[in-house]
Amino acid sequence: MIGDEGHRRSVRDALEHLGIRNLVLGIQDACFPGAEEEDTGRGSPWSEAALDLLRFVRSLGFDGIQLGPQGETREGSPSPYEGTVFSRNTLSVSLPRLVTGEGPWSGLLARDALAKVVARRPEGSDVRVPYAFVYREHKRLLREAFAAFESRNIRELRRGFEDFKREHGEWLERDALSHALCCERRRATWESWGGTGASLDSRLWNPRRGEASACDARRRELRSRHATEMEFYRFKQFLAHDQHRSFRKGVRRLGLLLFGDLQAGLSRQDA
């Protein structure tokens, strides 16, 4: 019977005869299943439904899974192959875990807030990700979770957040500031920024001759002006990295190997 020990042994014997060491399922984050009452239109490898899929995959005789590129994508560009190098894609955050999940994250998001998004899921989202809808609504719900986090003294999360910011401070500073400037200028990429100071803002870490002091001063000014928005960005990354860490533990418990793919291009944020 498919999924029983005899089936797995037969699969293993066949792979050995073929000289194949690992049988791996390749799957993009967006393609993971979601429970109907929690499905916003995009899958997450960090959800409970994803773990159910992996248990089934393991029972079929697979040795591992390969995820697609994990970087943050931008509005208007859903391709994970144009994602960031360091920042994780926060669209993969399992929102239900912020409602009823275990541990200190639970309760940061109201159940009815998630339910309303699920109810508004566009027609056809069962076969194709409605990226614009998901991008807008996920960011909004994560902002609500951030507001709840800011209003509560959850010591375990606070300590973890401070540790995360210290460990990843260099790239977090750059990515968070890029995000804040895109919000301020209402343009998704630095090439399209306009207005006063846009030219200097596009090269804050790559100053031309004689611009180093001006770039330092501008960064200080922007950090002060956009402190809350930059902290929101750091929070989203802390959450995404924490959920991925839990996912890796779950994969190991199932006895599966975990592989990853790299993006083919360079994200505009990294540029």
Side-chain angles (χ1 to χ4, degrees):
M1 178 180 291
I2 291 178
D4 65 13
E5 188 58 38
H7 168 80
R8 289 193 293 270
R9 189 162 50 248
S10 296
V11 170
R12 179 50 48 199
D13 289 343
L15 292 172
E16 289 179 1
H17 280 296
L18 292 170
I20 296 174
R21 184 170 57 187
N22 292 313
L23 178 62
V24 176
L25 172 70
I27 180 171
Q28 299 284 343
D29 284 22
C31 298
F32 276 91
E36 181 62 29
E37 68 277 8
E38 300 173 344
D39 186 3
T40 61
R42 185 189 189 279
S44 165
W46 307 330
S47 67
E48 201 55 50
L51 282 177
D52 288 341
L53 172 64
L54 296 186
R55 293 185 188 100
F56 176 64
V57 165
R58 183 61 173 147
S59 74
L60 296 179
F62 283 86
D63 304 295
I65 60 168
Q66 176 171 307
L67 300 178
Q70 294 291 292
E72 186 84 288
T73 54
R74 59 184 170 85
E75 188 173 7
S77 180
S79 173
Y81 293 93
E82 293 182 354
T84 53
V85 173
F86 296 105
S87 287
R88 287 196 172 279
N89 196 334
T90 53
L91 296 181
S92 289
V93 165
S94 176
L95 296 172
R97 291 186 181 276
L98 302 181
V99 178
T100 59
E102 298 178 357
W105 292 103
S106 180
L108 287 183
L109 187 62
R111 184 186 298 273
D112 64 338
L114 176 59
K116 288 176 181 177
V117 172
V118 173
R120 295 201 311 273
R121 198 176 65 204
E123 184 178 351
S125 59
D126 55 330
V127 294
R128 187 174 181 85
V129 174
Y131 183 77
F133 171 82
V134 170
Y135 187 94
R136 180 180 65 252
E137 295 300 325
H138 270 238
K139 302 299 183 187
R140 184 177 61 79
L141 291 181
L142 289 178
R143 198 174 289 279
E144 291 186 17
F146 174 61
F149 169 78
E150 288 283 86
S151 68
R152 302 176 191 176
N153 185 24
I154 309 174
R155 293 184 180 180
E156 182 179 346
L157 285 186
R158 290 284 178 185
R159 287 195 300 268
F161 190 31
E162 293 306 315
D163 290 344
F164 176 77
K165 288 190 291 185
R166 279 193 295 270
E167 181 180 355
H168 301 282
E170 185 175 359
W171 67 262
L172 267 176
E173 168 82 2
R174 297 170 185 241
D175 282 14
L177 187 50
S178 174
H179 161 75
L181 281 168
C182 286
C183 290
E184 177 184 278
R185 298 184 180 281
R186 300 183 181 181
R187 296 288 188 275
T189 64
W190 53 269
E191 297 99 327
S192 59
W193 289 349
T196 304
S199 179
L200 185 65
D201 286 350
S202 69
R203 55 180 186 276
L204 287 177
W205 275 275
N206 187 31
R208 295 173 181 169
R209 185 188 297 272
E211 286 184 337
S213 295
C215 285
D216 286 343
R218 179 63 171 162
R219 288 200 299 270
R220 289 194 297 271
E221 175 195 346
L222 291 169
R223 279 196 294 265
S224 176
R225 184 195 307 170
H226 298 294
T228 300
E229 194 63 36
M230 292 178 69
E231 193 74 346
F232 172 51
Y233 190 94
R234 297 183 187 103
F235 168 80
K236 290 188 297 179
Q237 287 304 311
F238 172 50
L239 169 57
H241 279 73
D242 188 72
Q243 287 198 353
H244 185 73
R245 184 166 50 249
S246 297
F247 168 74
R248 292 179 65 181
K249 291 179 180 178
V251 169
R252 283 198 296 269
R253 283 196 295 268
L254 291 173
L256 289 167
L257 299 170
L258 181 59
F259 299 88
D261 197 3
L262 293 175
Q263 74 275 28
L266 180 68
S267 76
R268 306 321 299 149
Q269 180 163 298
D270 288 334

